[in-house]
Amino acid sequence: MGFGGRILKTDDKSAKYVNSPESEIYSKSKVVYGIYYAKKSISKEDNCYLVEGYTDVISLHQAGVENVVSSSGTSLTEGQIRLIKRFTPNITILYDGDAAGLKASFRGIDMVLKEGMNVRVVLFPEGEDPDSYAKNHTTEELKAYITSNAQDFIRFKTAVLIKDVDNDPIKKSALIKDIVESVAIIPDQIKRSVYTKECSDLLDISEQALINETNKILRKNFSK
């Protein structure tokens, strides 16, 4: 269909991933890298690990973790999520510890939630990514790390955003609204209710206030 590569040296002026131009048969937004080799394992494990790049996919496969794919070096798209959904409703996104990348990841999480899928997030230690971690640890250590560090999106978003709050009520309010907007995207009412309860417990805020805010967002989205 096309070729994809990753630059070897760090250069702020160049794109990290380089792909063939779009063509009649190659559309980056519809391609999930590694899905052909991963689909059996994804169905068997009932979970898909989603990583950023080609090298992450290759290293994890070589380490014995085969239910892993990437978004072809592009931002995640609805078409890619729906392709994964054919094999499992569960996605676990594996990120390195880069702060800027983490905040950019929220868009991808919201897209997965919008498709009615279950999303969990694993953060690798600072300075590590799935590629380097797989090369420096055994398969058992890698699998154990992913399993023990997977967290739901509310805990992940809270952990990332709470660092900027510093006991500032205005910032905390913005954080809560940010999380509620993600909850409101979820199509399933029972799941929304469960996540609302978790958000209430985690951020020490009235569950009814969160329900009211969620309903306000749902009405606004419905009117659009």
Side-chain angles (χ1 to χ4, degrees), residues 39-201:
K39 58 187 179 181
K40 276 189 184 176
S41 183
I42 291 170
S43 297
K44 182 182 173 185
E45 301 287 338
D46 196 22
N47 190 17
C48 177
Y49 293 138
L50 183 66
V51 294
E52 185 187 9
Y54 312 116
T55 48
D56 297 319
V57 175
I58 294 166
S59 292
L60 288 177
H61 271 261
Q62 288 176 334
V65 178
E66 296 184 353
N67 54 322
V68 56
V69 296
S70 83
S71 57
S72 297
T74 64
S75 297
L76 194 61
T77 66
E78 288 179 3
Q80 290 167 336
I81 295 167
R82 285 173 187 154
L83 183 54
I84 294 169
K85 193 178 180 181
R86 287 166 53 185
F87 305 103
T88 180
N90 303 305
I91 289 184
T92 302
I93 306 177
L94 311 184
Y95 288 117
D96 56 33
D98 173 60
L102 294 180
K103 290 186 180 178
S105 71
F106 294 159
R107 175 184 163 274
I109 291 171
D110 284 352
M111 290 176 73
V112 175
L113 292 171
K114 193 175 181 182
E115 290 298 319
M117 297 177 74
N118 307 311
V119 59
R120 296 177 75 77
V121 183
V122 174
L123 281 184
F124 282 87
E126 198 168 336
E128 294 262 30
D129 58 21
D131 173 36
S132 64
Y133 199 90
K135 285 174 178 169
N136 297 324
H137 295 81
T138 65
T139 300
E140 290 71 27
E141 288 171 339
L142 174 62
K143 288 181 176 179
Y145 183 86
I146 292 173
T147 303
S148 60
N149 286 277
Q151 54 188 333
D152 68 57
F153 78 94
I154 286 183
R155 291 184 183 277
F156 167 69
K157 280 189 91 165
T158 302
V160 172
L161 297 175
I162 202 79
K163 294 170 186 172
D164 299 330
V165 169
D166 293 330
N167 295 319
D168 184 326
I170 294 172
K171 287 181 179 177
K172 185 175 181 181
S173 170
L175 182 156
I176 292 167
K177 283 190 175 181
D178 196 333
I179 291 173
V180 170
E181 282 180 5
S182 290
V183 172
I185 287 170
I186 300 169
D188 186 278
Q189 190 174 343
I190 293 173
K191 279 186 191 172
R192 279 204 310 267
S193 177
V194 170
Y195 280 124
T196 299
K197 176 77 169 66
E198 183 177 2
C199 186
S200 169
D201 295 340

